[in-house]
Structures are given as C-alpha cells and as structure tokens.
Amino acid sequence: MHVSYINLLAAAICRSGSWRSIGIRATSYRGLCNSPDSFEKISTIIRDKCENVVVMAGAGLSTPSGIPDFRSPKTGLYHNLQKYKLPYPEAIFDVQYFIDNPMPFITLAQELYPGEKYRPNLGHYFVRLLHEKGKLLRMYTQNIDGLERLSGIPGEKLIEAHGSFSTASCIVCGDKHDPEAVKKTILAGKVHLCSCKGYVKPDIVFFGEQLPGKFWLHNLDAIAADLLIVLGTSLEVHPFASICDAVPYRTPRILINREVVGSLGLRDLDHVLVGDIIENINKLAQEMGWLDDLIALQKDNENA
Ligand code: CNA
C-alpha cells in the first residue's frame, strides 16, 4: 500500500474506528438551486413521479425543534461541549470514556430523552406526510432524539442508524434492561447498574460500536428507491453518508440543507435547496399543494 494512501486512510478513520468522509465536496452543482423553477421541478418529482422515496436525515432536521447539531459554528454541540469538560468532543459517545466518566453522556441523555423537552417540527411531519401519501419507502436517520417516532412515522419505515433511547443494555454483559427503568435513573442524574455491576446505557451507537442490523437494508432500499431526499446532515459520518452514493445515477436526489454536502449536486438529476430546512419545506409543500395537509397532520398529532 502506498504511504500517502495509508496516511489518507488513517486520517479518514476516526480514533474509534468509525469512518469519516475523505472529503469530496460539491463545489459546483448542476441541479437547480432555490429558484422558483427549482421548487416547481422538485415538487413535480415528489408529487407526481415517485412512489418509493428514501429519506436520509441528520441533526439539521432537529435544530428547528431546538436541539443543537454537532458542527454548526457557535450553536453546534461540539462548540457547546465545554460544560461537559471533555478531553475531545467525540468522547461523549466513546464507550471507554463512558466507563471512566459516564456523567457527560448522562447529562446529554437527560437533555435529549424523547418525550421530555422537544417536539417534532414541520420537517419531521413532511416525512410522515410522504408516508401518509404512500410514498415513503424508508427513512434513515442519524438522530437519536426520537422525534421521527414522535411524529408518527411507523417503526417499519424507520431505521434509527445510530440507535435510540427506546431500548437499553448493559455495556459489560449485554443484558437487556427495561428502558423505562433506565430512563428514570438517568433523569434522576444517575447511572443505571446491571446485576453484573456493569453500566447500562440506552442503545445509542457509540463510536466503535456496530450499527443496528436493520441499517444494512439500505443496500436493497437504495436500488428500489425512485427518489432520495437528504435532510439536514453534513454527510460526514460513515457508513451512514455512503447511502447517498449507493443510489443509482438514474435516481433523482434532492438535498435540503444549509450548505451543499457530500456528492450532492454532482449528478445531472440532483437538486439542491440551500437554506433553512423549515423555510424550504414550507415553500415546497405550498408548491405541491400539500401545505394544508402538512399543517393538519402536525396539529392532529400534537393534540392527540
Ligand atoms: P452535523 O454534522 O452537525 O450536520 C448538520 C447539518 O445540518 C449541517 O450541514 C448544517 O449546516 C445543517 N443544518 C443545521 N441546522 C439546519 C437548518 N435549520 N436548516 C438546514 N440545515 C441545517 O450532524 P449530522 O447529523 O450530519 O452528523 C451525524 C451525527 C450527529 C450523528 O451521529 C448524530 O447522532 C449526531 N447528532 C444528533 C442529534 C440529534 O439526535 N438531534 C443532535 C446532534 C448530533
């Protein structure tokens, strides 16, 4: 193996063995971007031309609900980690660090526990609406906040690629624990202990841990998809980010994000909506004639 290739590879693998993108950035894109024409074209694709949509989502989908993402300057979680006094930002999701000092993760978990503080937003309900219209093949999310479930996207349509708080297990013996009991302990600011004395954590995937088996379904979904929609992610974390490149060239891809990311924009059938996710989804739903349905869905679910 060539030395510079080894260096590149080493740089691409973060300390825990997870993959980070090697850095091909879309500096120009052929697809349409934020013109009135682009909303019209994208809305025609979603409304009239597709039946099997795969959605990929990241932390940017939940920032409008009030949960900070990782990388946004000034507001991102990595910027705000000082209060956790971590040796390096990713330590918060590092198993070895959790064993030595579980409190930073416990504090973050208290903040993020689904059903406590945060509610789904219009972006989550847009994906739910795709399901209600019979168009959602699958949603893959990196988020651990559970807002997709809270918006009513059914479990069989949802792949929580980086895990969730809905199950919990011992990091030593692997025994499953009652998630409600674990939640109660964590909300009280303590670490839940297993009978083997190991720490129990919600099944959030930490760096170096395996992704849930269901994640690998994307190999089939990517081929079956007739549209890919990418929402609020920097596409920096692999293998999740690679889903967007597994989709064949004939499949249109739509990116809705504050910035152009990954390989989005490099293919002829790519479309990019740069800017705030809620603003763009609002405009898009209006163009599609779906806005009333979207608002009603959100209202009904929030009042249920
Ligand atoms: P990231 O790397 O922080 O990227 C977020 C992306 O969203 C960036 O490109 C932002 O520009 C963009 N963005 C942020 N807010 C908006 C907005 N309002 N409108 C449009 N775009 C916006 O996060 P990723 O999800 O890409 O990284 C993957 C990590 C983040 C996963 O391992 C998650 O577990 C982790 N994470 C999850 C949450 C959560 O569950 N809500 C929060 C923070 C981090």
Side-chain angles (χ1 to χ4, degrees):
M1 207 184 279
H2 193 270
V3 173
S4 62
Y5 181 58
I6 295 171
N7 290 341
L8 188 60
L9 207 56
I13 302 172
C14 81
R15 43 171 277 118
S16 54
S18 292
W19 286 83
R20 301 237 161 228
S21 60
I22 291 180
I24 300 167
R25 285 255 164 217
T27 47
S28 64
Y29 39 94
R30 300 190 192 113
L32 297 157
C33 178
N34 291 48
S35 67
D37 197 27
S38 61
F39 283 97
E40 196 185 317
K41 295 225 161 144
I42 293 172
S43 79
T44 306
I45 296 172
I46 301 177
R47 194 187 47 220
D48 306 328
K49 297 195 171 161
C50 67
E51 294 173 337
N52 289 304
V53 184
V54 167
V55 175
M56 292 172 69
L61 177 59
S62 291
T63 57
S65 295
I67 304 174
D69 63 7
F70 272 177
R71 293 177 184 81
S72 284
K74 299 215 169 95
T75 56
L77 194 59
Y78 279 154
H79 181 83
N80 290 311
L81 283 174
Q82 287 93 338
K83 63 180 172 191
Y84 301 109
K85 297 196 169 51
L86 295 165
Y88 51 95
E90 290 91 350
I92 200 147
F93 295 123
D94 183 314
V95 180
Q96 192 51 54
Y97 186 79
F98 178 71
I99 293 167
D100 294 341
N101 180 13
M103 289 323 288
F105 175 73
I106 297 296
T107 313
L108 180 74
Q110 282 181 307
E111 175 76 13
L112 275 186
Y113 249 108
E116 292 300 307
K117 194 168 166 187
Y118 301 106
R119 298 301 306 165
N121 61 55
L122 213 66
H124 298 97
Y125 285 107
F126 183 76
V127 183
R128 161 93 189 268
L129 190 58
L130 286 173
H131 165 65
E132 297 301 328
K133 303 269 184 194
K135 289 176 181 285
L136 183 66
L137 175 60
R138 211 87 58 193
M139 178 183 201
Y140 289 82
T141 184
Q142 296 165 98
N143 294 343
I144 54 175
D145 53 36
L147 295 185
E148 298 86 359
R149 282 175 193 243
L150 284 177
S151 75
I153 297 166
E156 71 273 13
K157 296 279 171 175
L158 185 62
I159 310 280
E160 293 164 314
H162 293 168
S164 78
F165 287 93
S166 61
T167 57
S169 29
C170 171
I171 60 168
V172 176
C173 69
D175 266 9
K176 290 281 171 204
H177 284 254
D178 173 15
E180 282 308 312
V182 177
K183 177 175 177 177
K184 211 171 150 196
T185 316
I186 290 180
L187 290 183
K190 296 186 218 141
V191 191
H192 201 85
L193 285 181
C194 183
S195 53
C196 78
K197 302 273 186 283
Y199 288 163
V200 176
K201 76 166 178 61
D203 290 331
I204 305 299
V205 180
F206 276 26
F207 289 109
E209 290 187 316
Q210 294 288 330
L211 269 56
K214 269 167 80 181
F215 171 74
W216 302 102
L217 202 60
H218 78 264
N219 288 319
L220 297 175
D221 285 349
I223 293 164
D226 52 16
L227 175 66
L228 176 76
I229 302 179
V230 181
L231 301 173
T233 170
S234 62
L235 292 178
E236 293 267 338
V237 179
H238 284 253
F240 186 91
S242 53
I243 299 174
C244 71
D245 296 315
V247 171
Y249 265 71
R250 62 172 185 276
T251 307
R253 306 185 303 176
I254 296 167
L255 170 70
I256 306 180
N257 202 44
R258 260 202 198 118
E259 60 207 325
V260 183
V261 291
S263 65
L264 270 296
L266 292 176
R267 296 185 185 178
D268 288 338
L269 298 182
D270 286 352
H271 296 272
V272 177
L273 292 179
V274 173
D276 180 68
I277 200 165
I278 300 299
E279 220 170 274
N280 279 325
I281 282 180
N282 222 306
K283 266 193 196 168
L284 196 57
Q286 196 161 17
E287 180 69 40
M288 292 165 72
W290 284 13
L291 192 56
D292 290 346
D293 288 351
L294 184 58
I295 289 167
L297 189 61
Q298 180 169 30
K299 212 167 150 195
D300 289 352
N301 201 58
E302 292 301 314
N303 293 336

